[in-house]
Amino acid sequence: QSVLTQPPSVSGAPGQRVTISCTGSSPNIGTDYHVHWYQQLPGTAPTLLIYGNTNRPSGVPDRFSGSMSGNSASLAITGLQAEDEADYYCQSFDSSLSAWVFGGGTKLTVL
Amino acid sequence: QVHLVESGGGVVQPGRSLRLSCAASGFTLSSYAIHWVRQAPGKGLEWVAFTLYDGSNEYYADSVKGRFTISRDNSRNTVHLQMNSLRAEDTAVYYCARESATVGGSFDFWGQGTLVTVSS
């Protein structure tokens, strides 16, 4: 049972837009702790996709964007491409656990 | 270029110990916190342990507290994870990850991982 809740799967056709939600409860996201997103392509290590709720590291296409509303974060991917098929994880910090926490992960399928 | 390379994984019997290493290059290790994150086969990511940039503070997931110990040798650019009293549920790929210095709490670089299998 993850502290951060993500849908297990989402799907979309090439060119479409999809969103992945990440819902937490205080005292993790929604307070002073940022949400970060990672992409894990099949058989590889995760890579940082979005940091500090909304920021993209250099090299990440602007098709990927992050947003926050209350205690929920969202990752949006526009102009879906076959290469976007991967697992996506949100991550934050939980002060009550003194632990860094991940969502359960969302598998994106490009139809 | 930032590189993190894990080593030390393998097959180990329940109750035994294993020591993982994370070799850092391309940056000044002594300026960064480092984490270990694991991923059981077919499962999601689980944070395991944290060491502050100078080794003065550590945190552990409840699932490994009292069994795992994180340490670092900044002079050798290496971080270790000593895993004792291993259980079947510790079977996973173990990644070391660097915590960003600009936005705390995010992991901006990851190693390729090392597989630990706990089985009799």
Side-chain angles (χ1 to χ4, degrees):
Chain A
Q1 195 81 3
S2 301
V3 173
L4 303 177
T5 301
Q6 298 180 235
S9 63
V10 296
S11 63
Q16 285 190 332
R17 178 180 186 270
V18 296
T19 61
I20 299 172
S21 61
C22 174
T23 303
S25 55
S26 183
N28 41 66
I29 67 175
T31 58
D32 293 332
Y33 302 107
H34 294 298
V35 173
H36 319 289
W37 291 89
Y38 302 87
Q39 179 190 58
Q40 186 175 32
L41 297 169
T44 69
T47 58
L48 182 63
L49 192 64
I50 298 288
Y51 66 91
N53 301 329
T54 61
N55 304 289
R56 283 186 308 277
S58 61
V60 173
D62 60 5
R63 301 187 296 105
F64 295 89
S65 63
S67 63
M68 278 290 299
S69 178
N71 70 339
S72 288
S74 289
L75 172 70
I77 311 172
T78 58
L80 264 183
Q81 300 179 3
E83 67 206 48
D84 298 333
E85 194 160 280
D87 295 322
Y88 293 84
Y89 295 89
C90 60
Q91 176 254 317
S92 187
F93 181 77
D94 189 318
S95 59
S96 68
L97 300 174
S98 292
W100 288 257
V101 291
F102 287 93
T106 299
K107 182 175 181 58
L108 169 62
T109 300
V110 181
L111 303 170
Chain B
Q1 202 161 359
V2 173
H3 278 297
L4 296 167
V5 179
E6 303 91 339
S7 61
V11 180
V12 61
Q13 292 180 329
R16 303 297 289 263
S17 298
L18 206 59
R19 188 193 197 205
L20 305 183
S21 297
C22 171
S25 61
F27 66 101
T28 303
L29 181 62
S30 60
S31 297
Y32 290 87
I34 298 293
H35 298 255
W36 286 94
V37 177
R38 69 184 180 183
Q39 186 170 35
K43 302 297 184 182
L45 301 172
E46 179 189 16
W47 172 79
V48 172
F50 156 92
T51 174
L52 195 57
Y53 67 96
D54 60 356
S56 63
N57 207 356
E58 303 156 16
Y59 288 104
Y60 298 93
D62 286 345
S63 57
V64 306
K65 204 171 292 183
R67 300 188 299 123
F68 289 13
T69 302
I70 190 171
S71 62
R72 62 194 298 156
D73 185 343
N74 287 336
S75 66
R76 296 178 183 269
N77 294 313
T78 306
V79 177
H80 301 287
L81 185 68
Q82 177 67 41
M83 305 186 296
N84 298 332
S85 303
L86 283 162
R87 306 167 179 167
E89 54 265 36
D90 296 318
T91 293
V93 174
Y94 285 73
Y95 299 99
C96 62
R98 189 183 83 167
E99 181 171 327
S100 170
T102 53
V103 177
S106 68
F107 308 143
D108 59 358
F109 286 94
W110 298 62
Q112 85 290 346
T114 187
L115 176 62
V116 173
T117 302
V118 183
S119 173
S120 54

